[in-house]
Amino acid sequence: FDPLYVANEGKLIAVVKKNMADTVLTVMKKHPFALDAAIIGTITADPADHVTLRTNFGTTRLIDMLSGEMLPRIC
């Protein structure tokens, strides 16, 4: 299962201006649920029409739109 395509409660991705990223991160890390908060990416102008992810192996992969239904939550 790819965690990008299954329900994942209790997570936050905040998109903030680059010049505010460190400040926002510092404030977030003061909350007990955000001790592991981190900057995980950047927005660039190129390529403008899709999102890529850098893997642990140093390669990149395209993040596609979900092609079907999201897997249901299992609570």
Side-chain angles (χ1 to χ4, degrees):
F1 294 105
D2 187 331
L4 295 175
Y5 300 104
V6 295
N8 198 344
E9 295 178 359
K11 305 295 185 255
L12 168 74
I13 293 179
V15 178
V16 299
K17 290 183 178 183
K18 187 174 185 174
N19 65 340
M20 293 298 299
D22 290 329
T23 302
V24 171
L25 184 61
T26 299
V27 171
M28 289 177 68
K29 284 180 167 259
K30 292 180 181 179
H31 192 283
F33 293 151
L35 298 176
D36 295 327
I39 296 173
I40 62 168
T42 57
I43 296 175
T44 61
D46 185 45
D49 59 346
H50 61 274
V51 175
T52 57
L53 173 123
R54 186 173 313 279
T55 69
N56 289 336
F57 301 109
T59 59
T60 58
R61 74 173 182 130
L62 182 65
I63 304 297
D64 287 323
M65 292 293 291
L66 187 62
S67 61
E69 293 293 321
M70 183 183 299
L71 291 175
R73 296 185 326 212
I74 302 172
C75 299

